[in-house]
Amino acid sequence: MSELFDAVDALLASRAVLPPPAERKRLRAAHGLTIEEVATALKVRRATVSGWESGKTEPRPPERDAYARLLDKLAELYPADPADATAPVPGATAPAAFTTTPAPAEAQTPSTGPATQAADTTAPRNTQVPAPAPVATAPAAAPHPARTTRTPSTSRRPGAKKPAPAGTPAGGADPRFENGPLAVVDVEDGKVLAYCVGGLVLDVPAKSLPSLVDWTLREAQLGAPKLAGPGKDADPLLVLTEAALERYGLPVTLTQEEKHAGRLPEGHKVIRQLTRADWKLTKRGFGPWARIYRPATGSARACVQLCIPSWHALDTRHWGEAGQLPPAELARVLGVYASRVMTPRGSTAVTGLELMTALHPSTRASEPDADGKRHSEHNPGSLGKDAVDPMNWPPCEVPDGHPVLKDVPRFHVRGPGEKLFEEAYDWARPMTDAECTLRHLVGIDVNMAFAAGANGLVVGLGEATHVKSPVFDPKLPGSWLVDLSHVDLSKVKVGKDKWVELDASLLPSPFTPKGEHPGGPAWYATPTVAYAQELGYDVAPIEAWVRYENGRYLDGWYQRLRDAYLATMADLGVDADLAPADFLTAMDGYQARDPELAIVVSAIKATVKGGLGKLRERPRGEGWRPGQPWRALSRPTWRPDIRAAVISRTRINLHRKIVKHAAFTGQYPVAILSDCVVYASDGPSPLDFLPYRDGKPLPGGFKLGINPGLVKWEGTQSVLWGEEVRERFNAPELNLARYIKDGTVTDVDNGE
C-alpha cells in the first residue's frame, strides 16, 4: 500500500503548480539552503537551479517532481506573509497560472506603470499566460501585459512550456497563427524544440528539413495576418540554431566560396531532399534567408522562410549580438520586432522595403463582373506591379552605369547640371574665436530623422513627364533643373513676413550635402526648391521631370515604424511625454535596462535607413557591366526619386531648425553629419544651449524628446579636444560630428 501512496504523491507532484520564481528563491533562502545544495540534491547543475529561480527555464520530470516536493515542504515551514501577497517582488516573473489574460497587443498602448491584474490562483493548470513583461520607467521598472499563448491544436502533444522572457509578445489573435509569427528551432537533450513567442516551446517531430517545412505549414500554426486589406499573410519564419543545422544536415558555417555566392551549391544533399519532396527555392537559393515554397493554388500559399544566424543572417551592425542569444531570448527579440514592424523578410533593409509593399499591395480584387467573378486590378496609392522601364527613367535621377546612360562616355563625371544629388549633410567649419572660449562641444541627434522626412511627403507613383520651362509647383513631386545661386543666407525669411539677418559664413548651404554654395543650375528634388521659395527667393526652373500621379505613399510606413519605435522605447523607460530634463535622465543608459529590447530599437532604426536605401539599390556583382540592367531595376520599388525626395526633405527640415535657432540665439553649428549637429556651449548638456523657456522650446527649433523629428543628446567633448584633434591631423574642417559620441577619432580624411 505504501508503494501506491508513493506513486500517488509522485503523480500529484508532477502536476503541481510551482510557485513564482521569486517565491522559490525566498523559500530556499528561508531554510538557509544554497543553490549548490539544491542542485546537488536534485542532481542538476547549479545554473539549472538558478534558471528555475530567475524564471528563464522551468523544471521537467523527473527533477520537477522532486523540486515541487521540496518547495511544498518549505512552504509549510515558511509560509508567505499575507501582507506581502499582493506586492510584486522586484525582478520576479509570475508563472502562467498566476496572471490574467490581458487585452490583445494590437489594442495596447505603451504602458508606463503596472498593468497586471490581481492574481487568479484558480486558473486552469494547462493554460499558459506569458509573464508580464517589464516596461522600464526611469528609474524603476513596471510590468507590461502580454497576450495568452494557447496550446496548438496539433496531432502531437506540445513540448514543455517555459515562461517567456520579459517583453515577449504572445501568439497572434488569428487562430491560424495561434503560436505567433516565428519560432527558433533548437536541439536540447536530443529533442528538437521550437521556441515560439510568448514562451511556448513545441516538440518538433520532423526528422528532415522537408518534413520540418511540412510540419510548420500543417501543424505549427505559425505566421502573421496581412497588414493591409489586399495584402498577403506573412509566411512563417523558422530560425535555425547551430544544433538544428547539424540535426538537419546543414553546415554550421558557410565556406568562403559559399559566402561569396551567398548560398549553398545546387547539388547539396539537403537541396536534393527538398527537390524530391517537390519543394522549391526562390532565385536567391539556399542562403541565410532561404524561402522554401510550392506554387500557390488559388489564394492558398505554401511557403516557409528560414533565418540562419550562424550564416550571418542577422547583421551585427543592426542586430547586435542577437545571433548569439539563447533560443528563448532570440525568439523574444525577433518576436517583438515581428509584432511591431513585420516578420523579417531578410536584412533590415529588405524588410523595410517589403514593409512598403505590405502596406500598399500593388493589386487588389476588382468589383464582380457580369459573371460575378473578380479580377486583379491596380491598387490605387501603390506603385503598381510593373517596374518602370529602365529606358524611361529621367537621366538625372539614375546612378552612374544605368542603362539609360549607356551612351555616356565611361569616364565622364556628371556634374550638378546632369545628376540629381540629394544626400545627407557632411559639413564642418573652423570654430570662431568666440566659440574657442567656450568649454564644450555638444552634439544633438535627430530621432528617426529620415522617417520624419517621409511623414506626409507627397511622392510620385507613376512615370515622370519631361517639361520645359515649367512654373514651379511645390506640391508636385519631381526633379527640377534650377539655378539657386542667388539665394543669400545672410538675409532670409523665417516667418510669414519676417526677415532676419544671419552670418552666412557660419551656415551650410541647404542646397548641397557638403554645404557649399551652388555655382549655377543644378538638379534638385521638390522639397529643396520649395525651401528656396520659403526663404523668400524666386525660382525659375529651366526644365523638370515631374510626376502627376502622386500621393503620400510612405505615410503608413512611417506610422508603423514610428509606433514600433515609440512602443519599444517606452518599454525601456523613455516615454514620449517626458519633460526635457526627465527625458535626458531617462535616455541615460536606457539600453542597459533591457539589452534585448535595445537590439529591437537598433533594428527598427536600421529598417528605416535600409528600406530607403533599397529604393536606389545598386548592382551587386553577378557579372554586371556599366550600361546593363541589374536585378533591382526589375521591381516596382526601385525608385531613386522617392529616396531623393525623402533625403531632400530631411536635410531641409534640419536646416530650417538651424536657421530658426541661429536667428533666435545667435548660435551656429560647428559641424553636421547626417542627422547629428554639434554646437559650442558653456555647459555639457543640450539644455545649456537650447532656448527653453518655462519648459517650452523655441517654435520651429530643436526640441528634446523621443518622437521622430525631435532631438536627443548624442555626446559631449571639450572644445580643447576638438581643436587638438583638428591640429593633430592638420584638418581645420574635420567633421567633429563624426566623433562627438565617444571622442574616438578614426578615418580622418584631412577634410578632403
Side-chain angles (χ1 to χ4, degrees), residues 716-732:
T716 297
Q717 304 296 330
S718 69
V719 168
L720 290 177
W721 164 85
E723 288 297 278
E724 188 273 332
V725 166
R726 285 178 165 178
E727 182 178 346
R728 187 194 336 156
F729 293 101
N730 192 27

Side-chain angles (χ1 to χ4, degrees), residues 351-440:
T351 304
L353 194 68
E354 291 287 342
L355 181 61
M356 297 179 194
T357 303
L359 294 168
H360 284 286
S362 58
T363 59
R364 67 177 183 182
S366 67
E367 294 296 326
D369 59 17
D371 297 327
K373 295 183 179 180
R374 296 179 183 270
H375 306 277
S376 177
E377 67 176 14
H378 172 69
N379 183 28
S382 75
L383 297 180
K385 65 178 182 178
D386 298 320
V388 175
D389 186 326
M391 302 309 294
N392 289 345
W393 273 103
C396 63
E397 292 180 349
V398 300
D400 295 338
H402 189 276
V404 80
L405 302 175
K406 59 183 175 58
D407 295 329
V408 174
R410 182 176 178 183
F411 297 104
H412 174 71
V413 178
R414 293 188 294 159
E418 300 171 277
K419 180 181 179 180
L420 178 67
F421 192 64
E422 295 284 11
E423 298 294 341
Y425 268 130
D426 185 355
W427 170 87
R429 63 169 175 82
M431 283 186 276
T432 65
D433 292 342
E435 289 168 339
C436 288
T437 64
L438 302 177
R439 298 179 61 189
H440 301 282

Side-chain angles (χ1 to χ4, degrees), residues 8-72:
V8 170
D9 288 344
L11 187 62
L12 291 174
S14 68
R15 297 295 188 269
V17 175
L18 297 176
E23 177 66 4
R24 304 169 196 175
K25 182 177 181 180
R26 185 192 72 80
L27 291 172
R28 174 183 58 76
H31 200 63
L33 298 175
T34 65
I35 292 179
E36 288 83 354
E37 290 173 326
V38 175
T40 301
L42 299 179
K43 297 181 180 180
V44 297
R45 295 183 299 119
R46 182 187 186 280
T48 301
V49 177
S50 179
W52 296 345
E53 292 189 355
S54 66
K56 291 184 176 180
T57 58
E58 287 291 286
R60 298 179 180 177
E63 292 83 5
R64 179 188 171 91
D65 305 354
Y67 190 48
R69 192 180 189 89
L70 170 65
L71 295 174
D72 285 343

